[in-house]
Amino acid sequence: MMRRSFLSFLAIVGAVLLSPQAARASEARLWIVPPSSPASLSDCPAHAATALGAHSTAARRLTSRAVVRWRDGQVALGTDDDATGSKAGLWDQCFALEVDGRVIVSGAILLPHSARLLRVPVLALRSWRDGDSRLEFDLIPAFPAHAATISEREWQDRLAPLR
């Protein structure tokens, strides 16, 4: 009797582990989109999400190795293990970060020493020299982070699919 229960347990665990939903891990992708106007990044959240939703050819997927960090976590991106490509021109662009085809957060990409004040989500590019081994970004709700108009709870809820 105990052996039959154990075998039943193994069958249930195996079915769960081999189910299509369990086998498919969440995949995060970072898309880079040129801003609608070179002087303004404040419309980046809507602009990037719209460009991605419309399958615009202006949206390009970042395939270089990268890590995006935020206060309570991080996610690794990219598939190219031995090249990062050129990092020039990544800042002052719009981005959309998606998980399993759904945009989780979108905003602007800045260098961390930028003088801009943005009340939209920002990816602060921490490694921008071509000699660096991989790209590193800090994801913050605004730039600077204390200027955010979104609550900490709402921000964490928005990033929950990245965990």
Side-chain angles (χ1 to χ4, degrees), residues 60-81:
R60 64 180 171 96
R61 182 176 170 218
L62 182 75
T63 58
S64 301
R65 287 185 312 147
V67 64
V68 174
R69 293 184 181 93
W70 61 95
R71 192 174 116 194
D72 294 325
Q74 70 178 33
V75 64
L77 303 169
T79 57
D80 191 357
D81 289 334

Side-chain angles (χ1 to χ4, degrees), residues 71 141 148-158:
R71 192 174 116 194
T149 58
I150 185 174
S151 73
E152 179 67 23
R153 172 88 173 151
E154 184 180 346
W155 181 245
Q156 293 303 322
D157 289 347
R158 187 182 294 187

Side-chain angles (χ1 to χ4, degrees), residues 2-135:
M2 184 180 236
R3 183 172 179 215
R4 187 177 300 172
S5 296
F6 181 72
L7 290 175
S8 296
F9 172 76
L10 284 179
I12 292 170
V13 169
V16 168
L17 291 176
L18 296 176
S19 72
Q21 289 179 342
R24 185 177 67 99
S26 294
E27 182 180 358
R29 293 180 177 181
L30 179 63
W31 296 87
I32 312 296
V33 180
S36 58
S37 104
S40 176
L41 297 176
S42 59
D43 68 341
C44 275
H47 176 68
T50 300
L52 197 57
H55 304 290
S56 170
T57 57
R60 64 180 171 96
R61 182 176 170 218
L62 182 75
T63 58
S64 301
R65 287 185 312 147
V67 64
V68 174
R69 293 184 181 93
W70 61 95
R71 192 174 116 194
D72 294 325
Q74 70 178 33
V75 64
L77 303 169
T79 57
D80 191 357
D81 289 334
D82 46 16
T84 58
S86 176
K87 297 173 185 174
L90 278 178
W91 54 90
D92 292 340
Q93 300 290 317
C94 300
F95 78 90
L97 187 56
E98 73 170 1
V99 175
D100 295 332
R102 187 172 62 109
V103 174
I104 299 303
V105 64
S106 56
I109 302 173
L110 294 177
L111 292 176
H113 57 268
S114 175
R116 293 180 190 231
L117 172 64
L118 291 178
R119 297 194 188 276
V120 300
V122 169
L123 276 178
L125 181 59
R126 293 289 177 187
S127 65
W128 60 89
R129 293 175 182 85
D130 280 336
D132 294 339
S133 63
R134 69 177 178 185
L135 291 166

